[in-house]
Amino acid sequence: MTYVIYHIPGKKIGVTNNVKYRVEEQQGYNEGEYEILIMSDDIDYVSHKELELQREYGYRVDEKLYKQLKCNQMNINVTEQTTTFPCPVNKLKGQLMDNIGMKWETEHGECLITNNSVEWIMKNVVTSKYNDKRCYVYNKAFARYFDNNDAHTRTGGIMSDHRDTCKTMCRFDKIRLWAEDRGLYHKGDPKTQALKLVEEVGETCKAILKKDEPEIIDGIGDCVVVLTNLAHLCNTSIEECIDAAYEEIKNRTGKMSNGTFKKD
């Protein structure tokens, strides 16, 4: 990981591993309004050099070394089902960006904080029901994200372009991103989504009766979209629901009768 000592003239000297996010997005400065003083992979070196430069330039000197900051020692809790982060959702992105490159093992595979996976986490994170200062993601869904994307390959310091992120997302991730951007998860309700599903199923059935192929495709797609959002609002994921259903039916036996499979 590359650490950067940056200088905002007349304001401060600081350290980050993501200049675009920390200086431009968080602090509101544009290129040309700050300068890069030092870049290094050695966190010990930059941690001590930052304080030295703060003294040299006459700025307030930080009380702790950069490497000692709590945000760079994120103490996550990994269980069989979830990874829990030690902060509320509204502070999570900053902590994640400060820990780019951090990885941990789950029963479903290795998980890694990258620029791309930060976006996934922020779209799928859930506030703990027992402590609103903690939040979590489901390990199975997060590990599957890495299986379906090239997320491991993008750990650089600049936030990926939204369009590039969408290219590497699985279809369900795209649906969740679309819903999040429109406030559906913030203001939505499982009951209204369930009713929406009934409406979409009705439209699909009507299209099937009419043998209207474009409307059939549209109807089935709409049902999948609603089911994806319904799952998210119920604190699970469509992938987890599909896997659970498959585990239940994979060894089921039966026979076809009147166009329907009937289990034994």
Side-chain angles (χ1 to χ4, degrees), residues 22-83:
R22 176 64 72 195
V23 182
E24 296 186 15
E25 293 188 32
Q26 279 200 326
Q27 300 183 46
Y29 292 94
N30 298 317
E31 287 188 26
E33 294 182 309
Y34 63 91
E35 59 182 338
I36 305 301
L37 299 179
I38 292 173
M39 298 178 66
S40 174
D41 295 332
D42 187 340
I43 191 172
D44 290 316
Y45 171 72
V46 297
S47 295
H48 288 91
K49 193 65 177 179
E50 177 194 25
L51 272 58
E52 179 183 324
L53 289 171
Q54 287 172 343
R55 295 189 195 95
E56 181 180 330
Y57 280 73
Y59 295 123
R60 182 184 66 82
V61 178
D62 291 340
E63 295 180 0
K64 291 185 177 181
L65 294 170
Y66 175 77
K67 66 178 182 178
Q68 296 174 335
L69 295 179
K70 186 177 180 180
C71 63
N72 297 311
Q73 301 173 338
M74 186 164 54
N75 186 24
I76 62 173
N77 181 41
V78 182
T79 66
E80 180 181 351
Q81 293 190 357
T82 63
T83 293

Side-chain angles (χ1 to χ4, degrees), residues 100-236:
I100 293 289
M102 179 179 176
K103 63 179 68 175
W104 62 94
E105 289 290 337
T106 75
E107 288 192 3
H108 305 286
E110 182 183 79
C111 292
L112 172 68
I113 299 178
T114 69
N115 287 324
N116 280 0
S117 68
V118 166
E119 298 303 315
W120 186 93
I121 292 171
M122 295 309 300
K123 301 303 179 186
N124 294 276
V125 69
V126 179
T127 297
S128 170
K129 295 178 181 179
Y130 307 104
N131 184 347
D132 61 8
K133 292 182 173 57
R134 299 175 69 82
C135 54
Y136 64 91
V137 293
Y138 288 99
N139 293 333
K140 192 171 186 178
F142 194 25
R144 184 179 295 105
Y145 166 75
F146 287 97
D147 292 338
N148 293 337
N149 300 279
D150 66 348
H152 285 97
T153 66
R154 303 189 64 175
T155 59
I158 300 176
M159 288 289 288
S160 60
D161 184 87
H162 178 77
R163 291 167 296 180
D164 291 335
T165 302
C166 287
K167 287 179 183 177
T168 61
M169 282 183 172
C170 75
R171 289 174 175 82
F172 297 128
D173 285 328
K174 290 181 180 179
I175 292 169
R176 285 185 285 256
L177 179 60
W178 172 89
E180 179 69 28
D181 286 345
R182 286 155 181 78
L184 194 149
Y185 296 150
H186 179 63
K187 298 180 181 179
D189 181 90
K191 296 186 289 296
T192 58
Q193 282 299 296
L195 291 173
K196 180 68 174 174
L197 178 61
V198 173
E199 176 187 335
E200 298 297 352
V201 170
E203 292 293 327
T204 305
C205 292
K206 186 187 299 183
I208 291 171
L209 291 173
K210 291 182 177 180
K211 299 182 179 179
D212 187 335
E213 184 174 348
E215 288 300 316
I216 292 172
I217 294 172
D218 184 67
I220 293 173
D222 286 343
C223 288
V224 172
V225 169
V226 176
L227 282 169
T228 301
N229 294 330
L230 177 59
H232 187 91
L233 288 167
C234 290
N235 295 327
T236 184

